Amino acid sequence: PIDHVVMNGINLDRFSFQAQAAVEAYWVWYGRIVPEKGLHHAIAAASLTGETLLIAGPISDQDYFDREIGPRLDDRIRYLGHLPHSELASIIGGARTFVCTPCWDEPYGLVIAEALACGVPVAAFARGAIPELLNAATGVLATPDNPVSLAEAAIAAQKLDRLACRRQAERRCDAIRMIDQYEALYVGLVERLS
């Protein structure tokens, strides 16, 4: 039986809090560009609303990119490439909303922790561990595989408080917290075996 789960953590210093979004409004999607990450859903949601969507990440499935993503790029739906970390963190932090679109039950999702650390509210499909990472102050959940629901969630999410997002990352997503929890777990296991 599983007594508890130690959630993954990130180095919060690598994802600086940005109290204000960029002047030019945009949503952001980033990650590996593969079908199971569902970028096509994020593009559909942005297209429904007329919002600008900035996309970053490595093209890990060229056929998927050529078939589903490339033909839909334009002045509003822009692929920025696979960015160096500092540039990526700045792009994330400037977004009004991070759009997260997994097509499978991801067991965690570091991208959510990174967006929250930057102070960016999240609109995400309610799948896998995502509902455990977000609360009503930091994100809005959408019906999986439904671009209309995702568009509504993204519009609602961009009204959330950015400082609340950063605080959620500090409470739940910090690597130091993760290490402390693992150490406590190991101490407890050793004590049980002694």
Side-chain angles (χ1 to χ4, degrees):
I2 298 172
D3 294 330
H4 66 279
V5 174
V6 176
M7 297 185 92
N8 287 334
I10 62 168
N11 180 346
L12 295 177
D13 294 336
R14 296 191 72 204
F15 295 91
S16 299
F17 173 62
Q18 292 188 35
Q20 300 292 324
V23 174
E24 179 190 342
Y26 63 87
W27 297 349
V28 69
W29 184 101
Y30 68 103
R32 287 182 308 110
I33 299 176
V34 293
E36 62 268 23
K37 296 289 187 180
L39 172 55
H40 56 285
H41 292 304
I43 292 172
S47 296
L48 287 169
T49 63
E51 296 288 339
T52 295
L53 178 67
L54 300 186
I55 300 162
I59 299 171
S60 299
D61 185 324
Q62 189 67 51
D63 181 57
Y64 169 69
F65 184 87
D66 293 343
R67 186 181 68 253
E68 297 286 339
I69 307 307
R72 298 165 82 182
L73 299 177
D74 57 27
D75 290 341
R76 279 188 323 91
I77 310 295
R78 301 196 303 255
Y79 175 57
L80 306 177
H82 185 35
L83 303 176
H85 174 80
S86 59
E87 191 176 341
L88 177 62
S90 178
I91 294 292
I92 296 166
R96 300 283 165 104
T97 303
F98 166 56
V99 184
C100 186
T101 53
C103 293
W104 68 294
D105 290 334
E106 287 200 64
Y108 186 72
L110 289 173
V111 290
I112 289 180
E114 294 163 356
L116 292 175
C118 291
V120 179
V122 177
F125 288 151
R127 276 207 163 110
I130 291 173
E132 296 176 52
L133 296 170
L134 300 174
N135 59 34
T138 62
V140 180
L141 297 174
T143 303
D145 304 325
N146 184 327
V148 173
S149 178
L150 183 63
E152 292 168 353
I155 290 167
Q158 62 191 5
K159 297 173 186 161
L160 297 176
D161 181 48
R162 294 173 73 91
L163 185 55
C165 294
R166 175 64 186 200
R167 288 183 175 149
Q168 175 78 344
E170 291 169 351
R171 276 192 308 273
R172 307 274 324 270
C173 307
D174 185 15
I176 301 300
R177 178 219 31 92
M178 176 188 69
I179 292 165
D180 290 345
Q181 288 185 353
Y182 271 118
E183 287 178 346
L185 173 65
Y186 298 148
V187 166
L189 291 172
V190 168
E191 287 173 353
R192 274 194 249 166
L193 295 173
S194 299

